Amino acid sequence: MSVTFTPGHGITIAHVVTCGCPGATELAPRYGAWTDADDDAGRASAATQRTPLPGCEMPDICPQYPLHAEEIDADGPVPDVNIHNGTARLLLPLLGLPAADGTDDAYGDLPAGDFVGRVLMALALAPQGAGPRAERSGSTFVDHVPGHLRMRLDDLLHMAQWCVTHGRRVTWS
């Protein structure tokens, strides 16, 4: 499980069929309707064997996974930050946000400027080497390097500043 922080929804100008690689998404033909892109993604994924899409950054791996339809935002590539639940349990309280019960129900949204302020405060209060050395999350053992929390806070700051620039709220779920 994880918590993903992303800008609030913007204006969709097109849809594409992509493997998810930024280069493939950029070069993909544009569709006017989501259903057209989604139908073509399903057909391509059902093929017995497919070749990598133009611009694919992992041509040895991507053809083994299904393609999907994706929206193209009027503001260009939209950043997001996906954080493992174990790290989210530590970050959400640093941001003054409720962590719910094990972050399973962690969701919400804030104005971007408010979120930037929360991240800056967390960065100011977090020690330079802050971060768990290791943790167990269910049956998964996660080993974080020192400074992992600060790195994730930096990622959140970058995404939140993008939201400020583009007039978007910050959402998470």
Side-chain angles (χ1 to χ4, degrees):
M1 298 296 295
S2 63
V3 177
T4 301
F5 294 82
T6 187
H9 198 275
I11 297 171
T12 300
I13 59 170
H15 303 88
V16 297
V17 173
T18 183
C19 58
C21 292
T25 302
E26 173 129 356
L27 295 174
R30 293 340 195 209
Y31 294 78
W34 170 266
T35 53
D36 294 340
D38 192 46
D39 289 347
D40 277 359
R43 279 191 289 278
S45 294
T48 308
Q49 193 172 13
R50 71 171 180 83
T51 59
L53 296 175
C56 178
E57 296 163 15
M58 297 184 288
D60 295 337
I61 298 170
C62 279
Q64 300 171 29
Y65 295 93
L67 297 174
H68 63 275
E70 193 170 293
E71 296 177 344
I72 300 298
D73 193 284
D75 290 326
V78 178
D80 66 19
V81 179
N82 184 271
I83 298 176
H84 181 273
N85 266 354
T87 302
R89 266 196 265 352
L90 299 170
L91 277 177
L92 290 167
L94 283 175
L95 296 170
L97 301 172
D101 182 14
T103 68
D104 291 338
D105 298 322
Y107 62 90
D109 71 299
L110 285 172
D114 183 356
F115 195 84
V116 166
R118 290 168 182 262
V119 173
L120 290 173
M121 183 65 72
L123 281 166
L125 297 174
Q128 190 63 29
R133 286 298 301 180
E135 71 180 75
R136 181 180 270 312
S137 176
S139 62
T140 305
F141 186 74
V142 180
D143 188 15
H144 294 295
V145 296
H148 181 72
L149 288 178
R150 288 190 67 85
M151 179 186 74
R152 300 315 326 235
L153 286 167
D154 286 340
D155 294 340
L156 288 173
L157 181 60
H158 178 268
M159 186 270 310
Q161 289 171 328
W162 186 97
C163 289
V164 167
T165 300
H166 293 91
R168 307 271 189 100
R169 294 176 70 84
V170 173
T171 66
W172 62 95
S173 61

